[in-house]
Amino acid sequence: MQQGQPIVIYIMGVSGTGKTTIGLHLAEETGLPFFDGDDFHSAYNRNKMASGKPLTDKDRYSWLEAIRSHVVDQLNTNSCIIACSSLKDRYRQMLAEGIESQTKWVFLHGSYNLILERMGKRTTHFMPTALLKSQFETLESPREALKIDIQNSPSDIVTQIKQAYICPSEFGVIGLGVMGKSLCRNVASKGIRLAMYNRHIPKTEENVAINFKNNYKELASTKAFDDLKAFVNSLQTPRKILLMVNAGATIDRVLSDLTPLLSQDDIIIDGGNSHYADTERRIQYLEEKQIHFIGCGVSGGEEGALKGPSMMPGGKKDAYKKIEKYLTKIAANDKDSKPCCTYIGKGGSGHFVKTIHNGIEYVEMQLLAEVYHIYRKMGKTASEIAAILSEWKSEVNSFLLEITIRILTTVEKDDFLINKILDKAENKGTGNWATIAAAELGVPTTLIASSLFARYISSFKDERIVLSQAYKKKEHNIKLDDNIILQAYKLARIINHHQGFQLLKEASNALDYQLNLSEIARIWTNGCIIRSDLMETLAPILEDNNNILINKDISNCITENKDDLTKLIIESISSELAIPCFSEALNYFNGITEENLPANLIQAQRDFFGAHTYQRNDDDSKNYYHSNWK
Amino acid sequence: MQQGQPIVIYIMGVSGTGKTTIGLHLAEETGLPFFDGDDFHSAYNRNKMASGKPLTDKDRYSWLEAIRSHVVDQLNTNSCIIACSSLKDRYRQMLAEGIESQTKWVFLHGSYNLILERMGKRTTHFMPTALLKSQFETLESPREALKIDIQNSPSDIVTQIKQAYICPSEFGVIGLGVMGKSLCRNVASKGIRLAMYNRHIPKTEENVAINFKNNYKELASTKAFDDLKAFVNSLQTPRKILLMVNAGATIDRVLSDLTPLLSQDDIIIDGGNSHYADTERRIQYLEEKQIHFIGCGVSGGEEGALKGPSMMPGGKKDAYKKIEKYLTKIAANDKDSKPCCTYIGKGGSGHFVKTIHNGIEYVEMQLLAEVYHIYRKMGKTASEIAAILSEWKSEVNSFLLEITIRILTTVEKDDFLINKILDKAENKGTGNWATIAAAELGVPTTLIASSLFARYISSFKDERIVLSQAYKKKEHNIKLDDNIILQAYKLARIINHHQGFQLLKEASNALDYQLNLSEIARIWTNGCIIRSDLMETLAPILEDNNNILINKDISNCITENKDDLTKLIIESISSELAIPCFSEALNYFNGITEENLPANLIQAQRDFFGAHTYQRNDDDSKNYYHSNWK
């Protein structure tokens, strides 16, 4: 259904130009009501025409007034479409009287011979063909009409009318869940003409789009649909459609419904957390249909989607260029007012980068959870912990730190809400994919794996209860200065970001994504869940795409804080606490800074039992050797 | 090519029974030379027959002697096939004279009318049809011949001859790499009639099978092929063929060459480290062709394959039953002389279990590497470390401990060989798959991941050298009693085995494999790389398929040794050593025995930014809640 000030579209032209046919098509595609002007003739006029006599102007005036009066009624509630020959300026003035600003003209024109030939095929029309000549003589071509040659196909004619008068939407969103709704409000508030669609499921999802539209002022001029075809037809071509539906099979289902309705060069943007391999597959599948597919990571949660998320679009650059102006309007801005949206690279790179973003996020969350765990075991209340973390903001501020403070101070009845929440962490798969990507690419992104597995350990709650009885822990008096914990936290976060960007670098090489790490860090400085002061620091450091550990400021920070991280781990494990992510940060650092690791023994063992051969440290040729160890 | 004492197969019968046709087919399938008896007739005999006169016995004696003499020559080097009518006992006696034990008879018989009809179709034969009647009168049916009705198809006739005389092989092996060769020697030494095949690649792989056969006495009665069709035809049906080729695309290539040569109900066994999902796919693909596919994990390395590996076959149980007697003969035996081979379960379960076996192996290797790392950093030489580890054998013996000791005492010139080996650990993918399986199944198999990533860290040697310069480590005086290290090692291995079997248990539920954990532990007590005293201990403990951590003996051991593991970690990280696997073992244990983990904070964060909802610890209904945290 079309929105805004109602209009009437008069489809005019001599008899036989197909006014009724076009009017009916247009009505079907837009959902607007259609009326045939001929139906408003008086019985007297009809008889006169049937007997072959042309109508006088007086005959016509009463007819035209009948039509106009009906249109005025319609415009009180809705737009409408009227087929009416309207051959003279005078007639048209009458039809538009009092509703001039809402009146749109479509003039269907064609040659006398073409129309005569077409009329010969019509048998049900009451007007004898003989009158055509008089119509041509009467016709005064209109000046302000949309003039369309009837040699165009009916569907082309309808498309031209829609483009001119129905004010097509620039941007469509499919899927009005938490993220989809927030993004719609964001898009509409940027003055982008938006069409929104949500499927119709009896009883569970009824009128979702219309109800949503009616609930928010900023959506007043959007169009709301639960009919997919009408939604698609409401969009200006090439269409730009953002999918905000569940990742996985749902995307494929939506695509199979959607693609038959699309035209060449339309662009679909998947804003969900899809697996990058699925995105590659979909790009190829849609390319065969000459439809573009952009896999766009969107981070920021509900609030970010509303106020401006960080956006990571990947796919064909040409296609990205056509949606860039929309995405950059929607996205958050960085400190220099540049949008937190950049072209990531080809194929599934946008979703790959989002996956690693989420992996880094898992670690950031786990480190805060371990900090909370330590403080809680030191006997501090949630609000005491929040107070300490508030002090940290000047040194290590981040979105996740801020919400942690707000969470820890949230009270429910007589207790902190955090104390009522079950300690079984769940996940939606991206941490899993990030871990798998690291395993497959041969990159030691150990903190993401550690954080993923920490969630898994937490999920075995029943087993933990049984084992906590079987292995009773002692009472411990944990002694850790706040500053030690802060400095350890600072260092562990550096290792996390180092590992995340190393994974992006290796993936970029392996998958030929040609990622710009600094630019990725920049679009992560605002809008997204892992935005932080540290990310601001890293964006310029990553300009050379190098390992951040060799940056002087970073290495100074690490060198200063390493002892604190070591102390935190010693005190924690001495107190029987699990701090897997802190531990792994230190072990990784001790490993990656170790010239001689004991992997020579592993190579020897592999050669011993499996003849897998090994390289030597006294042979730079990289030759492989096998020894007879028996 | 057929092996053993050479034989001559005489194909006898009246003219027109197809002796030459069958002889040529048989020669093609077996690679044996074929000779047509008619070619040994003198010119005199030929003329006589052409003029329609029957031969006298005297005519025949010189002819038969010519054939016999040729056969005797052949038998000096090879078996052969002769087509010869041999109608009378007397003739056959002459043909077999002096070579009776090597002479085999095939009697092709059919009715006079059938043969007459067939002869009517032959135009090139020099013997007039009129003589057929005299042949039937002359024919004395032989007693000891393989009598075959010529109404059978030629290929059926050839198969019957092969089954009777060529002594078909019971078991075939494709692929003569390190593991394939060792398994072949193992199979042959068990008295199983073996056929071996290796592809022919000019210059790089020529006569591999023949040369291999000639190098080992135990292979004297095997058959060696570089022609796949001849190899397949040498096998008794239903055929049992073990693939020992590279996992991945090679398997699919071999299957596409092999399957057109196979018959219904043949069984292919993949003994490589294939991914279990590939195995599932291949089972389904071959099922359509009514061919069985068994994915069989084989562990033991080169030596195990030779002396008896541990075998983990999975697939259809019916098909397994047909190969059970071979696999159980090849496999190692446990302490009770039961074979280290058991039916694992359906589908890809055999390869899945092998993948987890290898994951456990990664950890066992990494823990020894970390022990070696600590001792080396304490200033001990390889042989001093070996001496300490030798003392451990009474408490924690294992195959990997034994080979580590042997490796550490191996000297090259004036140094220990271990000191010359480059510390970049490589891998063949199974540790990676085990980590991915854990991530996908939601099971915290942290030590496998940690060991995999330790290998990855080691592979970044260039980066480690750079960073070891940027972050110079201090001098440390590491103080750890041998007993602390031993007890820590003991505990970490328990955690490794606990995690590995938990992963099998969860996978068994998720994939419906119905694994018998105790039986799996039993077949891992010998033959395989992770055989150990601990595995012997665990096999009975796992009989209830439960978590080993709740076993009393195990929990006592853990409780006693936990302080030592903590001390080892504290001393190691204080000395800037990377001991990721030891660290993770403790962190995992501290986590899984913790009733209240800080995952409630993670759930709160997820609900805060993504409205992902959470469960509560004061509501057993498992309902999900969402809070408005703003």
Side-chain angles (χ1 to χ4, degrees):
Chain A
M1 170 185 273
Q2 170 271 355
Q3 305 298 328
Q5 192 192 31
I7 58 169
V8 54
I9 299 172
Y10 284 112
I11 303 175
M12 62 159 288
V14 300
S15 188
T17 47
K19 299 184 293 293
T20 304
T21 306
I22 296 303
L24 286 167
H25 273 236
L26 185 60
E28 190 186 335
E29 293 213 1
T30 58
L32 296 179
F34 168 76
F35 306 96
D36 193 332
D38 288 343
D39 294 342
F40 294 83
H41 272 297
S42 62
Y44 170 82
N45 283 0
R46 282 169 200 261
N47 289 336
K48 198 166 180 182
M49 288 186 285
S51 65
K53 295 178 193 160
L55 298 178
T56 64
D57 273 356
K58 198 183 158 204
D59 295 333
R60 287 198 181 84
Y61 293 160
S62 64
W63 169 53
L64 295 172
E65 178 51 28
I67 295 174
R68 193 196 73 91
S69 161
H70 179 75
V71 166
V72 169
D73 272 0
Q74 285 291 315
L75 291 179
N76 283 331
T77 56
N78 209 347
S79 298
C80 62
I81 303 161
I82 309 284
C84 178
S85 51
S86 323
L87 300 179
K88 289 190 180 178
D89 286 338
R90 175 70 195 122
Y91 306 160
R92 293 191 288 270
Q93 282 162 13
M94 285 188 66
L95 286 168
E97 199 176 313
I99 50 171
E100 287 80 2
S101 71
Q102 288 164 273
T103 302
K104 308 292 173 187
W105 294 98
V106 175
F107 173 31
L108 301 180
H109 71 97
S111 71
Y112 178 81
N113 286 337
L114 174 62
I115 296 170
L116 200 63
E117 185 200 327
R118 288 196 181 176
M119 290 187 76
K121 296 179 186 158
R122 290 162 68 179
T123 55
T124 60
H125 205 275
F126 65 82
M127 182 178 170
T129 312
L131 288 186
L132 182 61
K133 193 154 186 175
S134 97
Q135 293 218 339
F136 262 88
E137 286 163 5
T138 309
L139 175 65
E140 296 166 7
S141 282
R143 286 196 179 169
E144 300 202 351
L146 174 67
K147 191 175 171 188
I148 305 178
D149 190 321
I150 63 168
Q151 290 194 79
N152 284 291
S153 72
S155 82
D156 280 352
I157 294 172
V158 165
T159 301
Q160 288 182 52
I161 298 169
K162 276 165 49 195
Q163 299 270 1
Y165 293 138
I166 312 284
C167 195
S169 299
E170 297 169 88
F171 198 83
V173 173
I174 290 180
L176 299 176
V178 170
M179 289 292 282
K181 280 182 172 169
S182 295
L183 275 171
C184 281
R185 292 173 59 197
N186 179 344
V187 169
S189 72
K190 299 298 190 307
I192 298 166
R193 293 196 309 278
L194 173 68
M196 312 181 294
Y197 166 82
N198 196 88
R199 64 184 176 177
H200 174 89
I201 297 181
K203 291 188 183 162
T204 60
E205 291 183 52
E206 291 186 347
N207 300 319
V208 174
I210 290 282
N211 292 341
F212 171 53
K213 172 185 159 71
N214 291 338
N215 277 341
Y216 293 95
K217 263 190 198 166
E218 64 265 42
L219 301 178
S221 61
T222 63
K223 297 178 192 174
F225 297 88
D226 61 6
D227 178 89
L228 191 60
K229 189 172 178 188
F231 164 78
V232 169
N233 285 330
S234 77
L235 290 165
Q236 161 181 308
T237 57
R239 300 180 185 86
K240 293 114 195 152
I241 299 173
L242 173 63
L243 306 187
M244 293 304 297
V245 302
N246 286 337
T250 307
I251 299 267
D252 290 314
R253 271 200 301 275
V254 170
L255 289 180
S256 83
D257 290 347
L258 185 60
T259 48
L261 307 176
L262 299 184
S263 319
Q264 190 176 328
D265 288 331
D266 286 352
I267 302 167
I268 302 174
I269 308 152
D270 174 10
N273 279 328
S274 290
H275 193 279
Y276 53 99
D278 286 339
T279 300
E280 303 267 3
R281 171 174 60 75
R282 288 167 187 147
I283 286 173
Q284 281 168 27
Y285 165 74
L286 290 170
E287 205 164 58
E288 290 164 18
K289 302 176 187 293
Q290 296 182 284
I291 293 168
H292 303 291
F293 191 77
I294 297 284
C296 183
V298 177
S299 177
E302 190 176 358
E303 195 186 357
L306 179 64
K307 297 184 179 169
S310 175
M311 305 193 85
M312 299 150 241
K316 278 218 170 150
K317 192 156 191 175
D318 291 356
Y320 170 71
K321 281 292 166 193
K322 290 183 187 150
I323 55 168
E324 184 174 32
K325 74 169 179 176
Y326 302 101
L327 299 194
T328 51
K329 271 187 199 172
I330 303 167
N333 285 328
D334 70 9
K335 63 178 169 38
D336 300 322
S337 303
K338 283 176 68 182
C340 289
C341 172
T342 193
Y343 174 69
I344 298 292
K346 68 174 188 179
S349 61
H351 278 138
F352 182 86
V353 167
K354 175 57 165 38
T355 296
I356 308 314
H357 166 284
N358 285 23
I360 294 170
E361 176 185 311
Y362 271 52
V363 181
E364 295 286 285
M365 291 166 75
Q366 176 64 23
L367 287 172
L368 283 166
E370 293 182 14
V371 165
Y372 162 68
H373 192 45
I374 292 168
Y375 276 125
R376 193 172 49 163
K377 290 287 181 179
M378 287 168 76
K380 299 213 182 294
T381 67
S383 68
E384 286 168 346
I385 300 170
I388 294 165
L389 298 186
S390 294
E391 304 241 325
W392 289 13
K393 286 170 74 173
S394 62
E395 280 201 60
V396 288
N397 203 18
S398 71
F399 169 74
L400 283 167
L401 183 71
E402 283 179 356
I403 71 166
T404 300
I405 293 165
R406 284 156 74 182
I407 287 166
L408 291 174
T409 50
T410 301
V411 171
E412 184 202 63
K413 293 182 190 151
D414 55 349
D415 197 0
F416 294 103
L417 178 52
I418 188 73
N419 294 338
K420 299 296 184 200
I421 296 180
L422 187 65
D423 59 331
K424 285 171 76 166
E426 301 184 15
N427 75 90
K428 292 237 169 191
T430 48
N432 177 1
W433 295 343
T435 300
I436 290 172
E440 286 178 341
L441 291 165
V443 186
T445 320
T446 55
L447 298 195
I448 294 177
S450 186
S451 301
L452 176 73
F453 287 128
R455 291 196 188 188
Y456 289 170
I457 291 172
S458 79
S459 73
F460 286 83
K461 176 84 181 179
D462 293 342
E463 187 178 25
R464 286 193 282 116
I465 291 172
V466 169
L467 291 174
S468 70
Q469 296 300 319
Y471 297 91
K472 293 250 186 241
K473 289 180 177 168
K474 302 177 195 115
E475 287 292 313
H476 298 282
N477 182 15
I478 306 170
K479 285 179 193 152
L480 277 171
D481 288 348
D482 291 343
N483 194 53
I484 288 177
I485 302 176
L486 169 60
Q487 301 309 329
Y489 172 69
K490 204 185 275 183
L491 200 166
R493 289 185 65 223
I494 290 172
I495 301 297
N496 176 31
H497 286 74
H498 152 76
Q499 287 189 343
F501 283 104
Q502 288 295 103
L503 178 52
L504 288 180
K505 187 163 88 175
E506 297 295 330
S508 180
N509 294 336
L511 306 171
D512 194 26
Y513 283 160
Q514 302 187 33
L515 300 180
N516 181 332
L517 301 189
S518 173
E519 183 68 353
I520 290 170
R522 185 190 66 73
I523 66 167
W524 286 349
T525 59
N526 204 3
C528 70
I529 303 295
I530 59 172
R531 61 188 185 263
S532 69
D533 292 353
L534 176 59
M535 198 66 81
E536 292 281 6
T537 307
L538 294 179
I541 290 175
L542 283 161
E543 264 170 22
D544 58 7
N545 253 15
N546 258 324
N547 187 335
I548 64 170
L549 295 187
I550 60 174
N551 174 269
K552 203 65 203 159
D553 293 336
I554 297 289
S555 69
N556 285 343
C557 175
I558 292 174
T559 306
E560 280 165 25
N561 296 329
K562 193 181 163 192
D563 281 353
D564 286 335
L565 177 57
T566 306
K567 280 180 204 158
L568 175 140
I569 296 168
I570 290 173
E571 186 64 14
S572 298
I573 64 175
S574 298
S575 308
E576 301 182 276
L577 293 193
I579 33 108
C581 213
F582 275 115
S583 280
E584 187 47 46
L586 182 63
N587 272 295
Y588 172 83
F589 182 76
N590 283 338
I592 201 72
T593 56
E594 176 67 57
E595 182 171 351
N596 295 304
L597 284 172
N600 51 335
L601 179 61
I602 288 171
Q603 287 298 84
Q605 289 167 331
R606 295 176 73 243
D607 189 54
F608 190 115
F609 66 67
H612 292 306
T613 72
Y614 57 85
Q615 291 174 295
R616 292 177 64 102
N617 55 26
D618 57 2
D619 178 2
D620 290 340
S621 71
K622 305 199 171 184
N623 282 340
Y624 279 84
Y625 295 83
H626 171 56
S627 291
N628 186 5
W629 298 91
K630 311 303 148 72
Chain B
M1 170 186 277
Q2 169 271 354
Q3 305 298 328
Q5 193 193 30
I7 58 169
V8 55
I9 298 171
Y10 284 113
I11 301 174
M12 60 158 291
V14 299
S15 188
T17 47
K19 300 185 292 293
T20 305
T21 305
I22 297 302
L24 285 168
H25 272 237
L26 184 61
E28 192 186 334
E29 292 213 0
T30 59
L32 297 179
F34 167 75
F35 306 96
D36 193 331
D38 287 344
D39 294 342
F40 294 82
H41 272 296
S42 63
Y44 170 82
N45 283 0
R46 279 168 202 263
N47 288 336
K48 198 166 179 180
M49 287 186 284
S51 65
K53 295 178 194 158
L55 297 178
T56 64
D57 274 355
K58 200 185 154 203
D59 296 332
R60 286 195 182 87
Y61 292 160
S62 63
W63 169 54
L64 295 171
E65 179 50 28
I67 295 173
R68 195 197 70 92
S69 161
H70 179 74
V71 166
V72 168
D73 272 0
Q74 285 292 314
L75 292 179
N76 283 331
T77 55
N78 208 346
S79 299
C80 62
I81 302 159
I82 309 284
C84 178
S85 51
S86 322
L87 300 180
K88 289 191 179 178
D89 286 338
R90 175 70 193 122
Y91 306 160
R92 292 189 288 271
Q93 283 161 14
M94 287 187 68
L95 286 168
E97 199 176 313
I99 50 171
E100 287 80 0
S101 72
Q102 290 165 273
T103 301
K104 308 291 174 190
W105 293 99
V106 174
F107 173 32
L108 300 181
H109 71 97
S111 71
Y112 177 82
N113 286 338
L114 175 62
I115 297 171
L116 200 63
E117 185 199 325
R118 288 197 183 176
M119 290 186 77
K121 294 179 186 159
R122 290 163 68 179
T123 54
T124 58
H125 204 274
F126 65 84
M127 181 176 171
T129 311
L131 286 189
L132 181 60
K133 193 156 188 174
S134 96
Q135 293 217 338
F136 263 88
E137 286 163 5
T138 309
L139 176 64
E140 296 167 7
S141 280
R143 286 196 180 168
E144 301 201 351
L146 174 68
K147 191 175 171 187
I148 305 178
D149 191 320
I150 63 168
Q151 291 194 81
N152 284 292
S153 73
S155 83
D156 279 351
I157 294 172
V158 165
T159 301
Q160 288 184 51
I161 299 169
K162 278 165 47 195
Q163 298 269 3
Y165 293 138
I166 311 284
C167 196
S169 299
E170 297 168 89
F171 198 83
V173 173
I174 290 181
L176 299 175
V178 169
M179 290 292 283
K181 281 180 170 169
S182 295
L183 275 170
C184 281
R185 292 172 60 197
N186 178 346
V187 170
S189 72
K190 299 298 189 306
I192 297 165
R193 295 195 308 280
L194 174 69
M196 311 181 294
Y197 166 83
N198 196 88
R199 63 183 177 179
H200 173 90
I201 298 180
K203 293 190 180 160
T204 60
E205 291 182 53
E206 292 186 348
N207 300 320
V208 174
I210 289 283
N211 291 341
F212 171 53
K213 171 185 159 70
N214 291 338
N215 278 340
Y216 294 94
K217 265 191 196 166
E218 65 265 43
L219 301 177
S221 62
T222 64
K223 297 178 191 173
F225 297 88
D226 60 7
D227 178 88
L228 190 62
K229 190 174 176 188
F231 163 79
V232 169
N233 284 329
S234 77
L235 290 166
Q236 162 181 307
T237 56
R239 300 180 184 86
K240 292 113 194 151
I241 300 174
L242 173 63
L243 305 187
M244 294 303 298
V245 303
N246 286 336
T250 308
I251 299 266
D252 290 314
R253 272 199 301 275
V254 170
L255 289 181
S256 83
D257 291 346
L258 185 59
T259 47
L261 307 174
L262 298 184
S263 319
Q264 190 176 327
D265 287 331
D266 285 354
I267 301 166
I268 302 174
I269 308 152
D270 175 9
N273 279 328
S274 289
H275 193 278
Y276 54 97
D278 287 337
T279 300
E280 304 267 4
R281 171 175 60 76
R282 288 168 188 146
I283 286 173
Q284 280 168 27
Y285 166 73
L286 290 169
E287 206 164 57
E288 291 164 17
K289 302 175 188 295
Q290 296 182 285
I291 292 167
H292 303 292
F293 191 77
I294 297 283
C296 183
V298 177
S299 176
E302 191 176 359
E303 196 185 356
L306 180 63
K307 297 184 179 170
S310 174
M311 306 194 84
M312 299 150 241
K316 278 217 171 150
K317 193 156 192 178
D318 291 355
Y320 170 70
K321 282 291 165 193
K322 290 184 187 150
I323 56 168
E324 184 174 32
K325 74 168 181 177
Y326 301 102
L327 299 193
T328 51
K329 271 186 196 172
I330 303 166
N333 285 328
D334 71 10
K335 64 177 169 37
D336 300 323
S337 305
K338 283 177 69 182
C340 290
C341 173
T342 193
Y343 174 69
I344 297 292
K346 68 174 187 179
S349 61
H351 278 139
F352 182 85
V353 167
K354 175 58 166 37
T355 295
I356 308 313
H357 167 285
N358 284 24
I360 295 170
E361 176 185 310
Y362 271 54
V363 181
E364 295 287 285
M365 293 167 74
Q366 176 65 22
L367 287 172
L368 283 166
E370 293 182 14
V371 165
Y372 161 69
H373 192 46
I374 292 168
Y375 276 124
R376 193 172 49 164
K377 291 286 181 180
M378 287 167 77
K380 299 215 182 292
T381 66
S383 68
E384 285 169 345
I385 301 169
I388 293 165
L389 299 185
S390 295
E391 305 240 326
W392 291 11
K393 286 169 71 172
S394 61
E395 281 201 59
V396 287
N397 203 17
S398 70
F399 169 74
L400 283 167
L401 182 71
E402 283 179 356
I403 72 166
T404 300
I405 294 164
R406 284 157 74 181
I407 287 166
L408 291 174
T409 50
T410 301
V411 170
E412 184 202 64
K413 294 181 189 152
D414 55 350
D415 197 0
F416 294 103
L417 178 51
I418 189 72
N419 295 337
K420 299 296 184 201
I421 296 181
L422 188 64
D423 58 331
K424 285 170 75 166
E426 300 184 16
N427 75 89
K428 292 235 168 192
T430 47
N432 177 1
W433 296 342
T435 300
I436 291 172
E440 286 178 341
L441 292 165
V443 186
T445 320
T446 56
L447 297 195
I448 294 176
S450 187
S451 301
L452 175 73
F453 287 128
R455 291 196 187 188
Y456 289 170
I457 291 171
S458 79
S459 73
F460 287 83
K461 176 83 180 178
D462 294 342
E463 187 179 25
R464 285 194 284 117
I465 292 172
V466 170
L467 292 175
S468 70
Q469 297 298 320
Y471 297 91
K472 292 252 187 240
K473 289 180 178 168
K474 301 177 196 115
E475 287 292 313
H476 297 282
N477 182 15
I478 305 171
K479 285 179 193 151
L480 278 170
D481 289 349
D482 290 344
N483 193 54
I484 288 176
I485 301 175
L486 168 60
Q487 301 308 330
Y489 172 70
K490 204 185 276 182
L491 200 166
R493 289 185 65 223
I494 289 173
I495 301 297
N496 176 31
H497 285 73
H498 152 74
Q499 287 190 344
F501 283 104
Q502 289 294 104
L503 178 52
L504 288 180
K505 187 163 86 176
E506 297 294 332
S508 181
N509 293 337
L511 306 170
D512 194 25
Y513 282 159
Q514 303 186 32
L515 301 179
N516 180 332
L517 300 189
S518 174
E519 183 68 353
I520 290 170
R522 185 191 67 72
I523 66 166
W524 287 350
T525 59
N526 204 2
C528 71
I529 303 295
I530 59 172
R531 62 187 186 262
S532 70
D533 292 353
L534 176 59
M535 198 66 80
E536 292 281 6
T537 308
L538 294 180
I541 289 176
L542 283 161
E543 264 170 22
D544 57 7
N545 252 12
N546 258 324
N547 188 336
I548 64 170
L549 294 188
I550 60 173
N551 174 269
K552 202 68 204 159
D553 293 336
I554 297 288
S555 71
N556 285 342
C557 175
I558 292 174
T559 306
E560 280 165 25
N561 296 329
K562 192 181 164 192
D563 281 353
D564 286 335
L565 177 57
T566 306
K567 280 181 204 157
L568 176 139
I569 296 168
I570 290 173
E571 186 65 14
S572 297
I573 64 174
S574 299
S575 307
E576 301 181 277
L577 293 193
I579 35 110
C581 213
F582 275 116
S583 281
E584 188 47 46
L586 182 63
N587 270 295
Y588 172 82
F589 181 77
N590 282 338
I592 201 72
T593 57
E594 175 68 57
E595 182 172 350
N596 294 305
L597 283 172
N600 51 336
L601 179 60
I602 289 171
Q603 288 298 83
Q605 290 167 331
R606 295 176 73 243
D607 190 54
F608 189 114
F609 66 66
H612 291 305
T613 73
Y614 58 84
Q615 291 174 297
R616 294 176 63 103
N617 55 26
D618 57 2
D619 177 1
D620 290 340
S621 70
K622 305 201 172 183
N623 282 341
Y624 280 84
Y625 295 83
H626 171 57
S627 290
N628 185 9
W629 298 91
K630 309 306 146 72

